[in-house]
Amino acid sequence: MNRVLIAEDLYLLRDGLVHLLQAHGFDVVAAVESGPELLKGLLELRPDVSIVDVRLPPTFTDEGLQASLAARTSVPGLPILVLSQHVEQLYARELLADGSGGIGYLLKDRVFNAEQFIDAVRRVAAGGTAMDPEVIAKLLASNARHEPLAALTPREREVLEAMAEGRSNAAISQRLYLSESAVAKHTANIFAKLGLAPSDDDNRRVLAVLAYLNSRS
């Protein structure tokens, strides 16, 4: 049974997440509402996965992401699933690009059903990634001015966005109506243009791409 920590300042949403997760077999070890409480819980409880809002008390800016980054500095690889209405690009890139452990970023108004959300929580708890395509698009767009990324073809950018969502070559093939060999070729071109070594580990290649984007910001 996965142990979950929830950080959400809105009572109804926080309580709803507790009941939803418990109904799907998760052990909710804490449900907090502020940045300091989140950091304390992450370091003391070391949950299997944490569901974190970006804007928490006391300042309602980026306490959730800052607490998550601080906790992962002390406990590398601590799985974090950000659930927010906002894409905070600076800290999001830093969190996504540190290269260790499960990570995810979902937008609240784009979670359409319980199955989608629970699948994302389980994926992050298992060390994988769960990325909303809109989050990836904003991170990529903010870096479009940099020459290596600008060198990608439109199709390579589509493949890169799908890779960053955590999709395998087979899944990308189905989504973009390409053969798997064509996806493999595009992937090799992307890594070559970005100066990244290809990897068979899908999660590692996603984090490597995001690490590169973060380093160029």
Side-chain angles (χ1 to χ4, degrees), residues 2-107:
N2 286 316
R3 300 167 62 251
V4 185
L5 184 154
I6 299 169
E8 168 58 57
D9 66 296
L10 296 178
Y11 168 75
L12 288 178
L13 180 53
R14 185 172 66 250
D15 192 57
L17 286 171
V18 170
H19 285 85
L20 175 64
L21 290 163
Q22 289 176 336
H24 284 81
F26 291 91
D27 176 17
V28 179
V29 296
V32 303
E33 58 180 321
S34 72
E37 290 176 306
L38 169 60
L39 181 57
K40 184 174 184 288
L42 289 172
L43 294 177
E44 292 183 356
L45 299 173
R46 301 197 178 189
D48 297 315
V49 60
S50 298
I51 300 167
V52 176
D53 192 7
V54 170
R55 300 182 178 181
L56 296 172
T59 67
F60 294 97
T61 54
D62 48 27
E63 288 88 345
L65 287 177
Q66 290 204 49
S68 299
L69 285 167
R72 281 169 67 96
T73 298
S74 299
V75 186
L78 198 62
I80 301 289
L81 173 59
V82 177
L83 180 64
S84 178
Q85 291 179 323
H86 314 280
V87 180
E88 299 291 347
Q89 295 186 10
L90 177 61
Y91 287 111
R93 285 197 296 271
E94 187 175 348
L95 179 65
L96 294 168
D98 76 356
S100 63
I103 205 73
Y105 203 127
L106 302 180
L107 297 177

Side-chain angles (χ1 to χ4, degrees), residues 144-163:
R145 65 185 181 277
H146 297 301
E147 183 179 351
L149 198 62
L152 300 182
T153 67
R155 178 61 82 182
E156 287 166 354
R157 289 181 64 89
E158 289 180 332
V159 171
L160 176 58
E161 290 183 20
M163 284 168 52

